[in-house]
């Protein structure tokens, strides 16, 4: 019985603070969290917060919706460490990893992100009710929590809601996808956003259609500006 409790407890603490590197499964030392120092140093950082060059992701939104500032922490590539980390977060319940990595990103932005505009509120992209029930948590909220702590900007998770269940995107072209997603989000009644400079927070920026739809809803609700910060972005 005693042994059982001990094992159960160590499983529990492993869930909260994994003792193996999520990148290479090497044992972590006492002052390492989530990743070993080597994996952390080798993270494929985008550096997007420092520059506005030609391949800047702001272009993903150009001509669609006025976005003040966009930056993603890491490059997402198939088979790479970032895909592995996002997978761990989403499907293995590693929400602490999401918060911890967002903390690292927030600290980096605070140090080097002179281009980051003043922000009043961080808003996480909501998940559908069905997915929330299935997963039990929304990774975007945990990312927002880490950024909020590092940047000392408040976060709010229940600002946006998904209005309806999205039908499958896979067989749709770009315009059909946008038609499918554009009316999907709404600002919850009673939430006051007038004049606020907000940042939308999500895990991975891909086409930007979801973030774009969220931004439209936020601007319609009176936000002064909308920025986007994500943990990762596809190229
Ligand atoms: Zn490692």
């Amino acid at each position: 019985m005693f042994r059982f409790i001990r094992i159960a407890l160590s499983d529990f603490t492993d869930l909260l603070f994994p003792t193996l590197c999520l990148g290479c499964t090497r044992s972590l030392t006492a002052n390492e969290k989530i990743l070993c120092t080597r994996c952390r140093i080798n993270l494929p950082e985008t550096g997007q917060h420092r520059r506005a060059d030609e391949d800047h992701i702001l272009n993903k939104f150009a001509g669609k919706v006025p976005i003040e500032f966009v930056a993603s922490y890491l490059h997402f590539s198939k088979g790479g460490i970032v895909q592995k980390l996002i997978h761990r977060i989403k499907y293995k319940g590693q929400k602490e990893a999401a918060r911890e990595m967002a903390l690292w990103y927030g600290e980096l932005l605070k140090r080097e992100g002179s281009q980051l505009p003043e922000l009043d509120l961080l808003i996480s992209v909501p998940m559908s009710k069905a997915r929330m029930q299935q997963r039990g948590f929304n990774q975007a909220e945990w990312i927002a929590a880490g950024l909020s702590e590092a940047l000392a900007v408040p976060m709010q998770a229940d600002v946006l809601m998904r209005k309806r269940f999205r039908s499958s995107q896979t067989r749709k072209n770009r315009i059909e996808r946008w038609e499918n997603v554009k009316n999907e989000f709404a600002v919850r009644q009673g939430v006051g956003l007038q004049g606020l400079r907000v940042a939308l927070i999500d895990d991975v920026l891909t086409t930007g259609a979801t973030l774009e739809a969220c931004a439209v809803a936020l601007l319609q609700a009176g936000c002064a500006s909308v920025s986007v910060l994500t943990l990762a972005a596809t190229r």
Side-chain angles (χ1 to χ4, degrees):
M1 178 65 182
F2 192 70
R3 187 158 172 268
F4 170 76
I5 289 170
R6 218 182 50 187
I7 290 167
L9 258 180
S10 91
D11 279 354
F12 181 68
T13 48
D14 275 1
L15 267 178
L16 291 177
F17 306 103
T19 49
L20 298 179
C21 172
L22 289 188
C24 68
T25 68
R26 213 181 305 194
S27 283
L28 295 179
T29 61
N31 49 14
E32 291 172 337
K33 271 184 185 170
I34 314 297
L35 294 177
C36 70
T37 306
R38 201 163 116 180
C39 283
R40 188 170 164 183
I41 287 170
N42 288 319
L43 279 176
E45 290 184 9
T46 69
Q48 281 159 348
H49 57 283
R50 290 190 295 263
R51 54 169 214 270
D53 56 14
E54 273 175 25
D55 72 340
H56 193 271
I57 41 167
L58 199 51
N59 292 338
K60 283 194 179 178
F61 300 98
K64 296 178 196 156
V65 61
I67 298 286
E68 177 89 11
F69 178 88
V70 190
S72 300
Y73 182 27
L74 303 168
H75 286 300
F76 182 103
S77 54
K78 240 183 162 179
I81 186 169
V82 179
Q83 185 186 33
K84 202 167 172 182
L85 289 166
I86 296 286
H87 183 89
R88 288 299 194 106
I89 290 168
K90 283 165 92 163
Y91 307 109
K92 304 279 177 195
Q94 301 274 5
K95 35 189 195 266
E96 270 302 322
R99 201 188 68 95
E100 183 65 25
M101 286 169 62
L103 261 175
W104 300 345
Y105 188 31
E107 280 155 13
L108 184 70
L109 288 171
K110 213 163 60 179
R111 251 190 346 260
E112 304 180 344
S114 54
Q115 313 221 21
L116 184 74
E118 287 276 320
L119 295 171
D120 302 308
L121 187 65
L122 307 182
I123 296 170
S124 49
V125 170
M127 235 163 37
S128 70
K129 260 189 190 159
R131 185 149 312 153
M132 188 70 176
Q133 268 166 7
Q134 185 186 36
R135 196 169 295 166
F137 70 98
N138 176 359
Q139 65 277 5
E141 282 177 30
W142 286 75
I143 294 164
L147 284 169
S148 169
E149 192 180 330
L151 295 171
V153 175
M155 70 156 283
Q156 205 175 329
D158 58 355
V159 170
L160 290 162
M161 55 176 190
R162 277 190 196 251
K163 284 196 289 194
R164 58 189 173 80
F165 194 71
R166 190 200 296 203
S167 58
S168 173
Q169 296 270 45
T170 43
R171 294 184 60 182
K172 294 185 167 70
N173 66 33
R174 197 166 176 273
I175 292 162
E176 285 169 336
R177 276 187 201 196
W178 172 240
E179 285 299 319
N180 194 35
V181 83
K182 74 172 181 188
N183 292 316
E184 198 180 321
F185 298 92
V187 171
R188 224 174 267 280
Q189 270 200 325
V191 179
L193 296 172
Q194 200 65 43
L196 294 187
R197 297 158 299 183
V198 305
L200 271 164
I201 312 298
D202 208 359
D203 52 358
V204 187
L205 170 61
T206 49
T207 65
T210 298
L211 286 155
E212 191 181 335
C214 289
V216 168
L218 291 172
L219 288 166
Q220 279 169 356
C223 284
S225 67
V226 178
S227 296
V228 169
L229 294 172
T230 71
L231 209 52
T234 57
R235 291 193 201 243

